[in-house]
Amino acid sequence: MLDQLKSGELKKGDRILSENKLAEFFSVSRQTVRKAIYDLEKEGYLVTRRGSGTYVKSMRKDKENIGILTQSLTDYIFPFIVMGAEETLKNTKFNSFIGNAKNDPVVERETLERWMDLGLKGMIVDPVVSATKQANVTLLKEISEQIPTVIINSDLNIPYAGTLVLNDYECGSFAAKKFIELGHKRVAVIYKAVHKAANERANGFIDTINEHKQILLYELPFHGQETSDEVFNLIMSLLSLPKNNLPTAIFCSNDLVAMQVIMAAKKLNLDIPNDISLIGFDDADFAQALEISTFRHPKQQFGEKAAQMLLKMIEENNNGKPEKIVEKAEFIERNSLIQKK
């Protein structure tokens, strides 16, 4: 087994066979296998996690690795962020581990702990449920004190971690000013309350609208996934209001929510933009096809920037103050906006 570890035939994170199966495979006693595993753990090649199994901790010494942990690899933003980071890393001495937290803080925690066991040299993390008490802030603080770490899309105020975010609050304020400029008197904001960036966008929108007392504001936070029945039903309830109460403009914390608004409006025979003006966020591929006015998330460039920040931190060996960078999201105006008569 040691030869396999040193040759790279076994990789970091691989789970090894049970003691019984190893004993059978190598034709030795379980006691011999147990002693071998103990020795390999002492030498740093293996790590055992109670209730889970024994995993490979060390690879060939000429390999160094970093982790890129996303909220969900199936969402429309995160694959592009990963592509950008990998593009930056491909000509360096680092390999990348790609992690999928599946929007679950438990999965995120398990992945982070496993990566720490494997001795990664650095991490880029887009944290899940970042606006809730379930966020893994304490663990991320502990990790950032040990290895270079960059947090993206949510500012968790972690002293030793680099931070890369968008100007979310300013974007929300801009969307509100756009609706005011177009003469809308009844507006709504729909946002994912568990995500810090979405909260920042909503706060910017709400604060700006509240400066104008004559405008009626509907605030609709949600906690599930954007494409869930929860969100669609929430939007349907809003758009089913009597005509005199119906919002004439809606700001959505991302384009998936904006797409749900379009679907609900179509079902209720409402027209975008004649009945409802609409602004989304992210500039997903489908936003252009649906002519949604939106803020462009620089997805791939964001991943590149995060990797550059991490490489700089690794080179400096965590010396100096980590960077906090706020990138501006460009507003893309399309045919989902109209002047209210």
Side-chain angles (χ1 to χ4, degrees):
M1 191 189 301
L2 181 58
D3 289 339
Q4 290 173 304
L5 288 165
K6 289 183 175 179
S7 69
E9 185 178 340
L10 287 174
K11 305 297 183 185
K12 270 189 177 183
D14 284 352
R15 182 177 177 177
I16 68 169
L17 299 173
S18 67
E19 289 183 4
N20 285 338
K21 290 183 178 178
L22 284 171
E24 181 180 347
F25 182 81
F26 289 106
S27 300
V28 296
S29 69
R30 285 186 61 189
Q31 184 178 354
T32 300
V33 169
R34 192 174 295 119
K35 174 71 165 55
I37 290 174
Y38 173 80
D39 290 340
L40 290 170
E41 283 186 304
K42 261 184 96 174
E43 294 177 35
Y45 287 103
L46 300 177
V47 60
T48 297
R49 292 194 292 277
R50 185 175 297 175
S52 178
T54 301
Y55 296 82
V56 179
K57 182 177 181 180
S58 179
M59 291 174 64
R60 294 181 300 175
K61 297 304 181 182
D62 61 341
K63 299 284 187 179
E64 291 188 313
N65 301 278
I66 67 166
I68 306 170
L69 183 54
T70 70
Q71 292 185 44
S72 173
L73 277 175
T74 61
D75 286 354
Y76 58 87
I77 285 182
F78 305 118
F80 292 97
I81 292 176
V82 170
M83 285 170 56
E86 289 194 310
E87 181 68 22
T88 298
L89 294 169
K90 72 178 184 180
N91 293 322
T92 70
K93 63 180 180 179
F94 297 101
N95 292 321
S96 56
F97 283 3
I98 309 302
N100 180 12
K102 302 178 182 178
N103 291 306
D104 186 337
V106 175
V107 175
E108 180 181 73
R109 170 175 285 275
E110 290 173 349
T111 304
L112 292 171
E113 289 176 341
R114 184 171 70 252
W115 284 359
M116 285 300 291
D117 287 342
L118 296 175
L120 268 65
K121 297 299 182 181
M123 295 187 198
I124 297 170
V125 182
D126 190 342
V128 303
V129 296
S130 54
T132 73
K133 292 181 180 179
Q134 286 73 45
N136 289 306
V137 178
T138 301
L139 177 58
L140 286 167
K141 284 180 179 177
E142 294 172 358
I143 289 172
S144 67
E145 290 173 2
Q146 299 177 53
I147 65 170
T149 305
V150 175
I151 309 295
I152 63 173
N153 287 322
S154 290
D155 185 357
L156 300 181
N157 296 313
I158 296 178
Y160 295 101
T163 301
L164 178 63
V165 293
L166 294 176
N167 60 329
D168 296 297
Y169 184 93
E170 288 79 8
C171 290
S173 179
F174 182 95
K177 291 174 182 175
K178 192 70 179 176
F179 288 158
I180 293 167
E181 173 191 321
L182 292 172
H184 293 278
K185 301 298 183 183
R186 297 187 303 274
V187 303
V189 57
I190 309 174
Y191 64 99
K192 191 172 187 176
V194 298
H195 188 39
K196 195 160 188 179
N199 275 267
E200 287 296 307
R201 294 163 197 169
N203 289 339
F205 185 87
I206 293 166
D207 289 348
T208 301
I209 291 296
N210 284 339
E211 293 172 3
H212 298 75
K213 302 300 182 184
Q214 75 280 16
I215 298 179
L216 176 63
L217 170 64
Y218 296 96
E219 180 184 351
L220 283 79
F222 63 89
H223 298 83
Q225 295 306 304
E226 289 85 347
T227 54
S228 67
D229 289 342
E230 173 201 352
V231 177
F232 186 74
N233 292 336
L234 188 71
I235 295 168
M236 284 291 290
S237 296
L238 176 68
L239 300 190
S240 298
L241 289 171
K243 188 174 181 180
N244 290 340
N245 295 327
L246 185 70
T248 61
I250 300 176
F251 173 50
C252 302
S253 61
N254 64 39
D255 291 336
L256 276 175
V257 180
M259 182 173 67
Q260 291 276 60
V261 171
I262 292 173
M263 292 168 61
K266 185 175 181 180
K267 191 169 184 177
L268 293 169
N269 295 316
L270 294 170
D271 182 73
I272 305 236
N274 291 313
D275 295 313
I276 301 171
S277 286
L278 185 64
I279 295 177
F281 203 104
D282 290 331
D283 195 27
D285 290 342
F286 59 81
Q288 184 173 358
L290 295 173
E291 299 189 285
I292 300 172
S293 298
T294 186
F295 294 89
R296 177 172 292 160
H297 190 304
K299 301 174 268 295
Q300 189 158 341
Q301 295 90 338
F302 215 67
E304 292 170 1
K305 185 68 177 180
Q308 291 165 5
M309 291 171 65
L310 184 63
L311 291 173
K312 182 179 178 182
M313 292 174 70
I314 293 172
E315 184 180 344
E316 294 175 351
N317 196 25
N318 256 6
N319 293 325
K321 189 176 180 180
E323 291 181 282
K324 178 177 177 178
I325 297 176
V326 180
E327 297 282 355
K328 291 186 177 181
E330 177 189 3
F331 182 65
I332 310 296
E333 186 166 347
R334 299 191 176 105
N335 291 330
S336 66
L337 296 174
I338 196 170
Q339 182 79 38
K340 188 63 181 174
K341 296 178 181 178

